[in-house]
Amino acid sequence: MPKIISLEKKKRLYKVVFDDERTIYVTEDTIVRFFLSKGAVFENAEIEKIAEFADFSRGKNLGLYYISFKQRTKKEVIRYLIDHEIPNVQIAKIIDALEASRFIDDPAYAESFVRGKVLGKSAGPYQIQQKLVDKGIDKTLALEKLELLYDFDIQVEVATHLAEKLVMSKYSRLPLKALKMKIATNLTSKGFSYDISKIAIDNLELESDEDNESELLQKELDKIMRKYSRKYDGYDLKQRVSNALARKGFDFDVINRELREIDF
């Protein structure tokens, strides 16, 4: 029967060498479980069991180490174990053990994730749902936690908060129509529905600043006229300028009033 001729510690693992030139790497748990020591002899079937348990023990330790930094989903732990070349048959056993001891708990993870995003007021429900699914959370579970923790009123509150921040920052100098469009686009990109975005914008009770819009329009009009007057004139030029200003978010009545002052 093969005999252990060397048992040497290598960082977190132990290198076990048999006299038949077989080498395996085991954890300390494996040594204790199978009473491994220099000079001990084992049958081949026993060595196979030792190697299997060593893979399981090493993989479980890796999983616990990975989870120790922060909460992880089942999918994330599986991917981590695969990356560290733990055999698939052992991964299944490791995941079962970690779930049984609640070190892996996808429902608790999903709830904690949603709570954090709601408190941070940084994302809408659809964006949160997609992030959870990407992390391996079942879509039904993700929706369940969102419905529980992110109801209609909270969505409106968060969306309104984000809309206010947008008005106070980079969109403050836009014409009213463009401002509302920008806010709506930003909110929907963050995972809010169109209806929630509209309510949030309405809650701001935004009003047009005529002096500001007139100043903005004049600046845009000067730039657009310089661009199009090189190629077009007359009615064609007027229509192109009008459409370009409308795409910038200016109201057609204001555009037409300004363009009446220009000789095309």
Side-chain angles (χ1 to χ4, degrees), residues 12 59-73 76-77 80-81 98 102-104 109:
R12 294 191 181 93
K60 185 178 178 181
N61 288 344
L62 280 169
L64 289 170
Y65 171 77
Y66 184 53
I67 293 167
S68 69
F69 292 101
K70 68 174 185 177
Q71 198 174 13
R72 311 281 185 177
T73 66
E76 288 175 322
V77 177
Y80 184 78
L81 295 177
L98 293 176
R102 304 295 293 274
F103 285 110
I104 294 176
Y109 180 99

Side-chain angles (χ1 to χ4, degrees), residues 219-231:
K219 289 182 179 179
E220 290 297 331
L221 178 58
D222 290 342
K223 288 192 291 185
I224 293 169
M225 283 291 291
R226 285 196 298 271
K227 177 180 177 181
Y228 287 117
S229 60
R230 299 167 187 167
K231 294 183 178 180

Side-chain angles (χ1 to χ4, degrees), residues 3-4 21 24 57 59 77-78 90 95 104 111 121 123 128 141 163 168 171 174 180 182 184 191 194 200 234 244 260:
K3 179 174 66 174
I4 296 176
E21 298 184 351
I24 59 175
S57 180
V77 177
I78 290 173
Q90 298 303 335
I95 296 299
I104 294 176
E111 183 168 326
K121 296 183 177 181
I128 295 173
L141 174 59
M168 294 169 63
Y171 299 147
L174 290 172
K180 290 183 176 181
K182 286 284 188 180
Y194 173 80
R260 278 199 295 268

Side-chain angles (χ1 to χ4, degrees), residues 22-203:
R22 195 176 336 187
T23 300
I24 59 175
Y25 289 86
V26 304
T27 61
E28 191 168 331
D29 289 345
T30 311
I31 291 175
V32 173
R33 183 182 180 92
F34 291 94
F35 304 102
L36 303 183
S37 62
K38 187 175 180 180
V41 295
F42 298 89
E43 293 185 359
N44 286 327
E46 290 179 298
I47 295 174
E48 288 178 7
K49 288 182 180 179
I50 292 169
E52 287 178 4
F53 183 81
D55 284 336
F56 171 82
S57 180
R58 182 170 74 89
K60 185 178 178 181
N61 288 344
L62 280 169
L64 289 170
Y65 171 77
Y66 184 53
I67 293 167
S68 69
F69 292 101
K70 68 174 185 177
Q71 198 174 13
R72 311 281 185 177
T73 66
K74 176 179 176 179
K75 180 181 178 180
E76 288 175 322
V77 177
I78 290 173
R79 186 185 299 120
Y80 184 78
L81 295 177
I82 290 172
D83 290 343
H84 285 77
E85 300 180 347
I86 301 299
N88 288 336
V89 65
Q90 298 303 335
I91 288 177
K93 295 177 182 177
I94 292 163
I95 296 299
D96 286 344
L98 293 176
E99 285 186 316
S101 56
R102 304 295 293 274
F103 285 110
I104 294 176
D105 189 337
D106 278 4
Y109 180 99
E111 183 168 326
S112 176
F113 189 89
V114 173
R115 286 188 187 279
K117 292 297 183 184
V118 172
L119 287 173
K121 296 183 177 181
S122 60
Y126 299 119
Q127 188 181 71
I128 295 173
Q129 177 189 322
Q130 188 55 54
K131 287 183 177 181
L132 283 171
V133 171
D134 289 344
K135 288 177 177 291
I137 298 295
D138 180 76
K139 184 177 180 179
T140 301
L141 174 59
L143 286 171
E144 176 189 319
K145 296 302 180 182
L146 282 165
E147 289 173 1
L148 176 67
L149 302 167
Y150 208 177
D151 63 23
F152 182 87
D153 290 339
I154 297 176
Q155 288 182 46
V156 170
E157 178 187 339
V158 174
T160 303
H161 168 76
L162 290 172
E164 288 174 344
K165 288 178 64 176
L166 291 169
V167 171
M168 294 169 63
S169 61
K170 55 187 175 182
Y171 299 147
S172 61
R173 291 283 292 169
L174 290 172
L176 183 60
K177 183 179 177 182
L179 174 60
K180 290 183 176 181
M181 289 173 60
K182 286 284 188 180
I183 293 173
T185 299
N186 189 287
L187 291 177
T188 53
S189 73
K190 288 183 179 297
F192 293 97
S193 69
Y194 173 80
D195 289 339
I196 293 291
S197 300
K198 186 176 184 303
I199 293 170
I201 293 169
D202 289 343
N203 284 345

